[in-house]
Amino acid sequence: MSGGRRRGPARRRGRVHPQLVLGAVLVGLVLVTALVSLVWTPYDPEHAGAERLLPPGAEHWFGTDRFGRDVFSQVMAGAQITLLVGLVAVGIAAVVGVPLGVLAGMLQGSGRGRPAAVLMRGSDILLAFPGLLLAIVLGAVYGAGTVTAMVALGIGSIPAFARVARSGTLQVMRADYVLAARAANRGNLAIAARHVLPNIAGTVLVQCSVNFAIAVLAEAGLSFLGLGTPPPTPSWGRMLQESQQFLGVADHLAIVPGVAIAVAVLGFNLLGDGLRDVLDPRLASTGPAAEHVAVDAGTGVRHEPDGAAAEPALDLRGLTVRTQSGRALLSDLSLRVAAGERVGLIGESGSGKTMTALAALGLLPDGVSATGHVGLAGVDGNLLDRGERALARLRGREISMVFQEPMTALNPLMRVGRQVAEAMTVHGVPHGTASRRAADLLAEVGLPDGAARRYPHELSGGQRQRVVLATALANDPAVLVADEPTTALDVTVQRQVLDLVVRLVRDRGAGLLFITHDLAVVSQVCERVVVLLDGVVVEEGPVAEVFAHPRHEYTRRLLAASALEPLAVEAAGPGADGRSAATAGQSPSAPEPLIRVEDVTRTYASRGQTVHALRGVSLEVREGQRFGIVGESGSGKSTLLRIVSGLDQATSGRVASAGVDLSPAGTGRVGTAPSGGARGVGGPTASPDLGDLRAALQLVFQDPYGSLDPRMTVGDIVAEPLLNPANVRDGGPRTAAARRDAVREMLDAVGLPLDATERYPHQFSGGQRQRIAIARALVCRPRILVADEPVSALDVSVRRQVLDLLVRLADEYALTLLLVSHDLGVVRHVCDHVAVMHDGLIVEQGPTAQVYDDPRHEYTRRLRAATPLLR
Amino acid sequence: MARHLASHVAQLAATLLVATAAIFLLLRVLPGDPAVVALGIEASPEALAAWRAEHGTDGPLVAQYLHWVGGLLTGDLGTSYVTSQELTPLVADRVQVTGILVLLGMLIALVVAVPLGTLAAVWHRNAGGVTLSAVSQVGVAVPNFLVGVLLVSLFAVRLGWLPSGGWTAPVDGLGEFWRHVLLPAVALGSVQAAIITRYVRSAVLEIMREDFLRTARAKGLTFTGALVRHGLRNAGVPIVTVVGVQIASMLIGAVVIERVFAVPGLGSLLLDSVGNRDLLAVQSVVAVLVVLVVLLNFLVDLAYTLLDPRLRRAA
């Protein structure tokens, strides 16, 4: 692990950043000037040897001052004091502020908000003493001078560094890779050194550069006031101050040091801005390798569009969308939506389906342009030829759109009633009428009375999506484009919103273009379907026909991946008791559960309110089982999973995982020690022995982008759990070479190439990243693998592969699998046992087949009915 | 909301308490006995005691601190040890001058920065936006006293249109007031304009990426319409913070500008008092400045809550 390799994001961008380069050149210029002036200046800067107030000329490039000193030499030498003051001030601020901020961030990130807040308040009090004021005050007491200035400016900048370090640390602490490190039993110091510091180094560097600029300005100001470096040492600020008496006579005396200050400040500011841009992950643009095989364009089977005789409500012909660099996001796409017709546009991420929608409404992002034809019934000509003003008149009236993310689609500062009404007022409806209509519309989409007066944050995701829908349909448009409108919603809410969309569109006789990755949703909502792959339509036709007899290979693959049938062999057995006896060598008559949860509650305070995340949950997971927990957002499933994994503690009840008692202190501890161990029995101990748990239980997280540290190589990531000796089993890898072998073996087992060890996470696709996360979880051979929504962020075709990999590995490594998902289909595919959670309770549990085929609880039935199925 | 306000006020009080204690420690305790400072080390014990009694520096330090803070609260800053002047009217007078200067400077800055920053964001992909960005970047790097010196050189020395310094209060003649205030306010405001332009640009750029702006356009608003009706108020939330922080920094920055233009504001008083080693005056001026800075931060927090309904209930 050499230092040079850890540069991931910065190295990604091949392009030279102009600000960064200019900043570096200017800073370099100041630096070189200062260094050169130490050994050489044209004249002695402190020696008055020439004629006074000479204008710039050949002899004295920048002229001479009132004592006949050479201005050029003085400016050169002045760079020294500027850099010295900046360096020491920034040094003091960083050395004090960064550890303070990291400490506060780590405290808060691990749930100890109060001491963190105290730390930050303390540092914030310094905000009341800006550096310049502090320097004046200290100067008054201890005498002005270079040292006073440096110290005062440094102290004054401490809060800025503390804040930057704290927010950076908090961000890192919230990342799943820190959770993974904690699950691998890494200590706080190790987390700080391996994850926090490398990841905040960039922002701290930016802050250093920006603060250097501030210090240069402040030093100049102090010298200007006569409170900086005393004469005769040359200083830019004092040169400026002395120039004042000769204004109009010798302006060069003001301009030369003024420009010097500006160049230095500009240099450091540009350097900081450039670094910020280069280090900003949002701007790092290299995409991972495409996950699916490319299909040659134009080979797809095409059906003749139905109802070609009638004028289509929306008519896209030969639509091609390109980026500025010429990359085609959509190629020659043709698509028609007849009046009253519901057309589904299907594709995986990156297929260009959202671009299609945006092109139709003239909302393409900057730097992306479309050619071809976009026609709308009753509107002459090509929409692509219209200007923004002419397009705006059509948007919301003839064609409107519903977006994917309801949480951000509404203006947070405006009441929702006004936002709905605005859709009408912009098209000329008087305010009073529009407000009344808006209230009616909100009622029509099923929002409670008075919803119009609410702000978006006071509504749930499903409610917000209803508001967006009401807005879109306010003017009874001929075409509604819906881009993944229910993807961000829970299953039961999704069902309601889908039904609503279909009803409203049908009532209005509008055409619907419904964009989604979910084939089952299309089969419920749409009559016709268009399949998009890499910006090319590969197949289209009536839903029933395409789904029953897919002609294109990609459609077939997509359909196969979407249909998650239960894995036959395991589901057949009633439990998994037999296997547990075989693997663990326990008495088959009384197998101890590997995970036992008894009447667990978890409450926490959030913004002054008490939240009951878990309200009395009990379950048992036996060795070798594949146990699924299914529930919607807010059901408590993730909280339960964190408690079982020792990452959170229950408020009351008893918990034991892999023989380690995780019950909260103070409650009677449960004696669930397996036959082999004697731990955990007896009275309460201060903290459970998590070390043993970490070796036995590992996790895989939901977001494959957040769960891997972007600055570590895949080899280092997978090896991390092995670095804690407590995690390594007897005979396990304890040397660097053995660890390397173990990592290779694991990467091979999850189906990744061996050269992956030297690469960084960003070079892998989502599915591959999830494989890396699985390899990390299994490298120290745990007995239990806990997976939190492991495939919900993945495309359909990849989802299937990762699920099957999990099942295969569970068999190979004799794992007990605990899988949490919102998707009943996923759980049914993988698990032999399932618990259904709702509102902090387990409402039903049992063998998957039984719960699925014969649900007892009303909520399970509702969940099942809401889950979209392929017809 | 009430609880939120209460906790903010409590924080404000705690901050002010600690800050004033720090000032007291720094300027009253650390430099040594003010009686000795005033009368010299050869003064007789009787003279020292008399001086202490007269200036109220003979009690325990805690009592002196409380007396001083009580004075701050009631508007009695005491009498200068050096000039024997009443400090309250002096400081009040100077606060007005600096206040006018800073507010006028900020007004100039906002009038320039809000439109320019918005344009720089909207045009960020073309030459106009890049030029605006570059100009503001250079503007940030120029020290305000350099601008001051150059303005004096041009308008006072060469053109002779405006006085190079001095001050006339508005009550003593509005015409003269404007002639005197214009150059320092422009010097103070122009650099701020560059700084705020950059903040406005990045706030508007951020807003332009928001989904709700796209929703607004999907309703039928033009890009400009959506930006004006939905974008600017949202961008306003971070900009208000910056304005508050910058007013605080201008209060301190005015020290230098007042020196350039010989404006009798708080900054000049502070520097003169430092020069005279008039520590009680320094202590008073610093306290006033710090209280103003802390109050500004407090107001910014409040404004935040008022502008953003999400914070009203959450807090």
Side-chain angles (χ1 to χ4, degrees):
Chain A
M1 187 186 68
S2 73
R5 292 204 326 256
R6 296 179 157 245
R7 291 186 304 150
R11 198 173 44 179
R12 241 180 280 171
R13 294 165 59 86
R15 207 163 60 82
V16 177
H17 194 284
Q19 278 182 311
L20 188 66
V21 172
L22 185 57
V25 167
L26 294 181
V27 168
L29 183 71
V30 176
L31 194 66
V32 168
T33 306
L35 290 177
V36 169
S37 75
L38 287 174
V39 291
W40 177 84
T41 49
Y43 299 87
D44 181 350
E46 293 170 27
H47 179 68
E51 209 176 316
R52 294 171 186 191
L53 299 177
L54 275 181
E59 192 85 354
H60 296 277
W61 294 350
F62 292 162
T64 58
D65 71 359
R66 59 175 167 162
F67 299 122
R69 293 177 299 197
D70 181 51
V71 174
F72 183 66
S73 305
Q74 281 193 298
V75 166
M76 278 184 75
Q80 293 170 18
I81 213 73
T82 299
L83 288 182
L84 180 70
V85 171
L87 208 62
V88 174
V90 167
I92 290 174
V95 164
V96 181
V98 171
L100 204 66
V102 169
L103 185 61
M106 289 192 72
L107 281 172
Q108 187 163 352
S110 47
R112 275 168 289 174
R114 201 158 285 259
V118 170
L119 272 182
M120 290 315 289
R121 287 274 160 264
S123 122
D124 277 359
I125 285 177
L126 280 174
L127 281 178
F129 295 92
L132 200 60
L133 184 65
L134 205 57
I136 294 172
V137 171
L138 290 185
V141 180
Y142 299 106
T146 315
V147 175
T148 314
M150 294 188 298
V151 172
L153 295 179
I155 293 175
S157 298
I158 288 173
F161 277 86
R163 287 180 160 199
V164 162
R166 174 180 163 274
S167 74
T169 305
L170 259 184
Q171 216 169 1
V172 175
M173 291 297 285
R174 289 199 189 107
D176 282 343
Y177 56 78
V178 167
L179 218 52
R182 281 171 63 197
N185 206 15
R186 302 289 285 156
N188 281 330
L189 274 179
I191 289 176
R194 282 179 67 94
H195 296 291
V196 174
L197 289 180
N199 276 294
I200 68 166
T203 38
V204 169
L205 204 63
V206 170
Q207 185 63 34
C208 284
S209 190
V210 169
N211 229 272
F212 212 112
I214 293 173
V216 169
L217 268 180
E219 191 278 331
L222 281 173
S223 297
F224 185 85
L225 296 174
L227 294 170
T229 306
T233 312
S235 140
W236 296 343
R238 209 183 49 254
M239 289 170 72
L240 245 173
Q241 189 247 321
E242 287 169 357
S243 77
Q244 266 187 293
Q245 319 163 27
F246 305 100
L247 284 180
V249 184
D251 280 352
H252 68 273
L253 289 182
I255 290 169
V256 171
V259 168
I261 295 167
V263 163
V265 175
L266 184 65
F268 281 106
N269 272 335
L270 285 175
L271 191 65
D273 283 5
L275 283 173
R276 182 177 302 149
D277 284 358
V278 171
L279 297 170
D280 187 344
R282 284 189 304 184
L283 301 175
S285 54
T286 318
E291 213 143 346
H292 36 69
V293 254
V295 173
D296 28 348
T299 57
V301 185
R302 290 212 190 155
H303 294 255
E304 275 307 303
D306 299 309
E311 190 195 9
L314 176 66
D315 185 13
L316 310 179
R317 270 180 285 153
L319 186 66
T320 297
V321 172
R322 287 181 190 282
T323 62
Q324 250 166 352
S325 60
R327 194 161 62 91
L329 302 174
L330 277 182
S331 304
D332 194 24
L333 175 133
S334 294
L335 189 158
R336 293 173 149 207
V337 181
E341 190 188 22
R342 300 191 301 275
V343 177
L345 181 60
I346 281 214
E348 295 187 290
S349 50
S351 62
K353 49 192 197 304
T354 296
M355 284 300 154
T356 311
L358 295 178
L361 275 92
L363 291 176
L364 284 174
D366 276 357
V368 177
S369 58
T371 56
H373 179 89
V374 176
L376 211 54
V379 177
D380 289 338
N382 187 351
L383 260 56
L384 294 180
D385 298 336
R386 288 182 166 233
E388 169 73 3
R389 196 170 286 273
L391 272 172
R393 275 198 293 276
L394 299 176
R395 285 196 300 252
R397 206 179 60 188
E398 303 296 333
I399 179 169
S400 59
M401 184 160 172
V402 175
F403 300 94
Q404 171 169 2
E405 192 39 76
M407 303 314 265
T408 53
L410 295 168
N411 182 347
L413 304 186
M414 200 189 259
R415 297 180 199 275
V416 297
R418 266 191 66 198
Q419 300 197 45
V420 177
E422 189 184 37
M424 291 170 273
T425 54
V426 290
H427 294 292
V429 178
H431 276 277
T433 321
S435 302
R436 277 193 300 280
R437 268 278 291 141
D440 292 347
L441 278 163
L442 288 173
E444 191 184 354
V445 297
L447 285 179
D449 286 347
R453 305 263 319 140
R454 308 222 165 220
Y455 286 101
H457 73 273
E458 299 173 302
L459 304 176
S460 69
Q463 288 176 320
R464 292 188 209 189
Q465 202 61 310
R466 288 164 193 263
V467 173
V468 176
L469 197 58
T471 313
L473 294 173
N475 300 306
D476 296 334
V479 179
L480 176 69
V481 180
D483 184 6
E484 303 262 15
T486 57
T487 306
L489 304 177
D490 273 328
V491 184
T492 51
V493 182
Q494 157 166 307
R495 180 55 179 263
Q496 295 161 5
V497 172
L498 288 179
D499 289 348
L500 185 67
V501 170
V502 172
R503 181 165 62 79
L504 294 174
V505 167
R506 197 182 279 156
D507 287 353
R508 286 164 169 75
L512 173 69
L513 180 61
F514 193 97
I515 295 170
T516 181
H517 69 284
D518 190 334
L519 277 68
V521 167
V522 164
S523 80
Q524 289 194 333
V525 171
C526 302
E527 300 149 349
R528 219 150 54 76
V529 60
V530 176
V531 182
L532 202 56
L533 171 65
D534 292 338
V536 177
V537 173
V538 295
E539 178 153 8
E540 70 174 293
V543 170
E545 198 180 306
V546 170
F547 282 16
H549 309 287
R551 303 207 193 163
H552 194 277
E553 181 250 331
Y554 175 69
T555 318
R556 277 198 289 274
R557 210 144 42 81
L558 215 51
L559 278 164
S562 299
L564 288 177
E565 290 304 316
L567 291 172
V569 187
E570 277 74 25
D577 296 343
R579 291 201 310 151
S580 88
T583 44
Q586 291 168 340
S587 153
S589 56
E592 269 300 322
L594 200 53
I595 298 174
R596 173 184 281 178
V597 174
E598 272 179 46
D599 204 24
V600 159
T601 67
R602 177 72 171 99
T603 55
Y604 54 90
S606 170
R607 294 177 168 175
Q609 288 172 321
T610 309
V611 178
H612 297 272
L614 294 177
R615 302 187 296 152
V617 167
S618 303
L619 60 78
E620 288 185 358
V621 180
R622 290 175 191 284
E623 181 131 32
Q625 266 186 339
R626 298 205 300 265
F627 197 103
I629 299 176
V630 71
E632 298 184 296
S633 56
S635 63
K637 56 186 195 304
S638 295
T639 309
L640 176 60
L641 184 133
R642 289 167 59 90
I643 288 174
V644 165
S645 313
L647 294 171
D648 189 7
Q649 232 185 16
T651 307
S652 72
R654 302 170 192 180
V655 189
S657 291
V660 179
D661 192 349
L662 301 167
S663 305
T667 56
R669 295 217 155 207
V670 58
T672 47
S675 38
R679 254 183 331 270
V681 200
T685 46
S687 78
D689 189 358
L690 291 177
D692 291 321
L693 177 65
R694 299 303 185 218
L697 181 149
Q698 284 292 314
L699 295 112
V700 174
F701 300 96
Q702 173 173 8
D703 177 11
Y705 295 89
S707 68
L708 307 176
D709 189 330
R711 280 165 215 281
M712 285 168 71
T713 63
V714 169
D716 287 342
I717 288 170
V718 175
E720 185 169 27
L722 295 174
L723 294 182
N724 187 332
N727 291 346
V728 183
R729 295 188 163 192
D730 293 337
R734 291 189 185 275
T735 63
R739 276 198 289 272
R740 228 175 356 256
D741 289 343
V743 167
R744 281 163 186 269
E745 189 192 328
M746 251 1 277
L747 287 176
D748 190 45
V750 299
L752 285 174
L754 289 184
D755 66 353
T757 50
E758 294 302 313
R759 286 149 70 189
Y760 288 90
H762 71 265
Q763 294 169 296
F764 295 88
S765 67
Q768 289 172 321
R769 287 174 186 226
Q770 212 55 317
R771 288 169 191 266
I772 296 169
I774 293 171
R776 171 179 59 191
L778 295 185
V779 75
C780 50
R781 302 294 158 84
R783 295 161 73 192
I784 308 171
L785 181 65
V786 174
D788 185 6
E789 300 268 15
V791 294
S792 67
L794 303 180
D795 271 330
V796 178
S797 56
V798 186
R799 184 178 72 173
R800 176 72 182 258
Q801 296 165 10
V802 171
L803 287 178
D804 291 351
L805 173 71
L806 272 177
V807 172
R808 183 168 62 75
L809 292 174
D811 266 352
E812 267 179 44
Y813 291 90
L815 288 170
T816 303
L817 195 62
L818 181 63
L819 181 134
V820 162
S821 177
H822 68 284
D823 188 337
L824 204 50
V826 166
V827 169
R828 182 169 168 240
H829 182 65
V830 172
C831 301
D832 46 45
H833 260 68
V834 62
V836 181
M837 288 193 73
H838 181 55
D839 249 355
L841 291 171
I842 291 181
V843 296
E844 181 163 5
Q845 59 178 316
T848 309
Q850 186 189 316
V851 172
Y852 190 82
D853 294 333
D854 182 20
R856 299 283 163 86
H857 194 274
E858 184 265 333
Y859 176 74
T860 316
R861 279 198 287 272
R862 202 142 48 86
L863 194 64
R864 215 200 118 172
T867 305
L869 290 175
L870 282 172
R871 277 190 312 220
Chain B
M1 184 70 198
R3 265 184 59 180
H4 178 59
L5 194 64
S7 96
H8 266 253
V9 171
Q11 259 172 40
L12 173 74
T15 307
L16 285 177
L17 204 68
V18 176
T20 46
I23 295 170
F24 187 77
L25 191 74
L26 217 53
L27 286 163
R28 166 66 188 82
V29 181
L30 290 183
D33 187 344
V36 178
V37 174
L39 303 179
I41 35 174
E42 279 149 33
S44 67
E46 295 77 29
L48 286 174
W51 194 94
R52 287 190 194 113
E54 185 192 339
H55 292 94
T57 64
D58 47 358
L61 283 175
V62 175
Q64 288 185 44
Y65 167 70
L66 291 177
H67 178 75
W68 177 61
V69 169
L72 274 180
L73 287 174
T74 54
D76 176 15
L77 298 174
T79 313
S80 161
Y81 302 156
V82 177
T83 61
S84 302
Q85 245 183 314
E86 277 288 327
L87 285 172
T88 305
L90 184 64
V91 170
D93 207 37
R94 300 301 187 93
V95 166
Q96 271 180 36
V97 173
T98 301
I100 289 173
L101 199 58
V102 165
L103 290 180
L104 205 59
M106 183 48 91
L107 195 69
I108 292 171
L110 284 176
V111 166
V112 176
V114 170
L116 286 192
T118 309
L119 281 182
V122 173
W123 294 342
H124 72 284
R125 279 175 186 274
N126 65 34
V130 173
T131 310
L132 279 175
S133 263
V135 169
S136 65
Q137 182 72 268
V138 172
V140 170
V142 177
N144 58 16
F145 50 89
L146 175 65
V147 177
V149 167
L150 294 178
L151 286 175
V152 168
S153 160
L154 184 62
F155 290 100
V157 178
R158 283 176 200 273
L159 299 172
W161 293 353
L162 292 165
S164 66
W167 184 259
T168 306
V171 288
D172 299 333
L174 267 181
E176 277 303 300
F177 163 72
W178 282 111
R179 279 169 53 78
H180 282 101
V181 81
L182 202 58
L183 289 186
V186 168
L188 203 54
S190 57
V191 174
Q192 284 303 319
I195 296 174
I196 294 175
T197 298
R198 289 171 49 72
Y199 280 109
V200 171
R201 175 179 181 271
S202 81
V204 173
L205 266 183
E206 194 79 17
I207 290 296
M208 279 165 57
R209 295 196 198 104
E210 290 283 353
D211 283 353
F212 63 78
L213 219 63
R214 199 172 57 178
T215 310
R217 291 179 68 199
K219 283 183 205 177
L221 286 162
T222 58
F223 173 78
T224 316
L227 191 64
V228 171
R229 298 183 55 149
H230 295 271
L232 290 188
R233 186 162 165 214
N234 276 282
V237 178
I239 291 170
V240 162
T241 319
V242 170
V243 168
V245 171
Q246 288 304 318
I247 288 185
S249 99
M250 283 167 87
L251 277 173
I252 313 300
V255 174
V256 191
I257 284 296
E258 286 171 12
R259 178 57 45 120
V260 174
F261 290 94
V263 173
L266 268 186
S268 305
L269 179 60
L270 178 63
L271 290 176
D272 293 344
S273 308
V274 167
N276 297 341
R277 293 200 51 80
D278 187 349
L279 288 186
L280 186 61
V282 175
Q283 195 179 320
S284 304
V285 176
V286 170
V288 168
L289 282 172
V290 165
V291 168
L292 284 175
V293 169
V294 171
L295 274 178
L296 273 166
N297 286 338
F298 171 73
L299 289 178
V300 163
D301 273 359
L302 276 194
Y304 224 80
T305 330
L306 288 179
L307 279 174
D308 193 337
R310 282 169 296 188
L311 298 173
R312 277 178 221 163
R313 253 209 349 203

